[in-house]
């Protein structure tokens, strides 16, 4: 690829084709990376949670974020904040694992805040209270500087 030109998808939209590592960081062209999640996949809530949990457990919160983002963008209007909050938790864990002591905690707290209105309903069996507690505790630890292991810190999405 010409370094001055942007990667494009089949429709001509900008799309970075560089391989990525397990935390979503770009790698040099030609380097083997972790397979990216396909975009725009419509899943049931259960399928979304199962796939996101699998990716979290494997230490790939960036990829889990992409799965949750699909649910956020395709789900019913009344649940979009739920899925957005879950995606923010996953990307907050991504930043925390990358050593970002500012962005990681900020996204973890933002995600916990977005989930708060769903605490009583616990839609789809999602452990809203448990996730919020996890996110706030992790945010506090990350601010003190230690990089975290994404797989070891993976939250349980369902109770």
């Amino acid at each position: 690829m010409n370094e001055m030109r942007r990667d494009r998808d089949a429709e001509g939209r900008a799309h970075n084709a560089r391989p990525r590592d397990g935390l979503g960081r770009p790698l040099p062209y030609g380097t083997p990376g972790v397979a990216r999640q396909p975009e725009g996949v419509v899943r049931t809530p259960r399928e979304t949670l199962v796939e996101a949990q699998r990716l979290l457990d494997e230490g790939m919160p960036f990829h889990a974020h992409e799965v949750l983002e699909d649910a956020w963008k395709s789900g019913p209007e009344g649940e979009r904040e739920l899925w957005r909050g879950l995606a923010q938790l996953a990307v907050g864990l991504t930043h925390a694992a990358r050593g970002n002591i500012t962005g990681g905690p900020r996204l973890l707290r933002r995600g916990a805040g977005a989930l708060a209105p769903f605490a009583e309903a616990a839609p789809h069996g999602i452990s809203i209270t448990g996730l919020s507690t996890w996110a706030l505790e992790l945010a506090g630890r990350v601010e003190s500087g230690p990089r975290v292991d994404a797989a070891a810190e993976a939250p349980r999405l369902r109770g």
Side-chain angles (χ1 to χ4, degrees):
M1 183 192 130
N2 178 340
E3 293 300 320
M4 301 303 288
R5 296 181 58 211
R6 294 182 77 181
D7 297 331
R8 303 277 173 187
D9 66 13
E11 286 80 40
R13 293 183 300 249
H15 180 79
N16 192 327
R18 284 175 63 182
R20 303 229 174 214
D21 71 6
L23 292 175
R25 293 175 291 217
L27 299 169
Y29 287 102
T31 303
V34 174
R36 296 179 80 162
Q37 292 298 305
E39 293 181 33
V41 176
V42 177
R43 299 173 180 88
T44 66
R46 184 183 189 303
E47 291 168 335
T48 296
L49 292 167
V50 166
E51 181 63 3
Q53 188 68 63
R54 180 186 71 77
L55 292 163
L56 288 167
D57 291 345
E58 290 179 8
M60 296 192 299
F62 177 81
H63 298 79
H65 146 265
E66 291 179 327
V67 168
L68 294 163
E69 190 174 81
D70 281 341
W72 161 22
K73 292 179 178 179
S74 67
E77 186 65 37
E79 290 187 357
R80 291 210 173 140
E81 279 300 297
L82 169 72
W83 298 108
R84 184 173 73 90
L86 292 171
Q88 287 172 329
L89 294 183
V91 82
L93 177 56
T94 300
H95 283 284
R98 290 177 179 174
N100 182 342
I101 63 171
T102 302
R106 182 178 298 139
L107 284 159
L108 289 164
R109 288 188 179 105
R110 189 179 301 156
L115 295 179
F118 298 94
E120 264 188 55
H124 311 293
I126 298 170
S127 178
I128 303 294
T129 302
L131 285 169
S132 295
T133 300
W134 165 84
L136 297 174
E137 187 275 328
L138 182 60
R141 276 193 293 126
V142 169
E143 284 175 327
S144 64
R147 182 173 292 192
V148 300
D149 178 300
E153 296 291 345
R156 303 304 316 153
L157 298 175
R158 297 177 75 191

